[in-house]
Amino acid sequence: DTARALMLPQELRAMTMEQELITIDNGKPIMCNKAFYYNDPYFMNKFKEVSPSMAKIKGIPTQKQQEKAIQAGETYIDIPIQSFEKMKEERKSWFENKEIFENLAFRAIPLSKEEEEEAQKEAEELTNKNIPQGENDENESQNVAN
């Protein structure tokens, strides 16, 4: 027995434009149909959420209607960029906003007022510190040794 290639070159060339092969790392290849967002109601509904003119259209918009909305800038959205400063502000606001923790479906054992204040102070100190990971462990081991 001789091993046969998964697909021969002529079979790859004979694939239609709607088909594709997906290979991920060392996993098995996947042969599937491509998802064309402009023909898929799920993806077009996402466009309709941000485009006022396309939201008025029932069903899937035509290519001209889509082009008009895109050229008018109706499908443009800001993509948030994460920065260290922004992350630090968000973390600080989490500790200041107790509603986030009060509305959780699960809760830890309630703390006394003193314990809660102490925990909040510790959290604020940790949020405000700019210690690279690993340095804190060294400081703690020195304190234990002393």
Side-chain angles (χ1 to χ4, degrees):
D1 284 328
T2 57
R4 180 190 184 282
L6 182 63
M7 288 186 83
L8 300 172
Q10 60 268 24
E11 291 174 310
L12 290 170
R13 284 191 290 273
M15 286 176 57
T16 64
M17 290 300 294
E18 291 80 25
Q19 295 177 313
E20 68 180 321
L21 280 174
I22 300 173
T23 56
I24 302 171
D25 296 330
N26 292 329
K28 294 181 179 180
I30 301 166
M31 185 172 190
C32 59
N33 292 326
K34 293 179 184 176
F36 295 101
Y37 75 91
Y38 47 83
N39 287 336
D40 190 319
Y42 174 80
F43 293 112
M44 287 314 302
N45 287 336
K46 296 290 183 188
F47 270 107
K48 289 179 178 185
E49 289 176 13
V50 296
S51 171
S53 66
M54 289 201 324
K56 297 174 187 172
I57 300 168
K58 291 183 180 177
I60 296 177
T62 65
Q63 184 176 353
K64 284 190 177 192
Q65 291 169 323
Q66 293 174 36
E67 288 173 358
K68 186 177 176 182
I70 292 168
Q71 289 170 353
E74 292 182 6
T75 57
Y76 174 82
I77 59 168
D78 287 323
I79 298 173
I81 298 174
Q82 186 68 36
S83 68
F84 182 76
E85 290 78 23
K86 185 176 178 183
M87 181 184 70
K88 188 176 172 183
E89 289 174 25
E90 287 174 355
R91 290 185 73 204
K92 189 174 182 180
S93 71
W94 293 344
F95 292 108
E96 291 171 356
N97 185 358
K98 291 184 181 181
E99 285 182 23
I100 292 173
F101 299 106
E102 290 171 357
N103 292 331
L104 291 175
F106 61 91
R107 294 182 188 203
I109 299 170
L111 300 175
S112 68
K113 279 254 192 225
E114 295 82 25
E115 291 172 323
E116 188 175 308
E117 289 171 1
E118 186 178 328
Q120 188 169 2
K121 284 179 186 175
E122 288 176 16
E124 287 173 2
E125 287 173 10
L126 287 173
T127 302
N128 293 330
K129 281 186 180 180
N130 250 344
I131 300 175
Q133 194 166 357
E135 279 187 32
N136 198 25
D137 296 337
E138 291 173 18
N139 293 340
E140 285 179 14
S141 62
Q142 287 175 359
N143 290 339
V144 171
N146 294 337

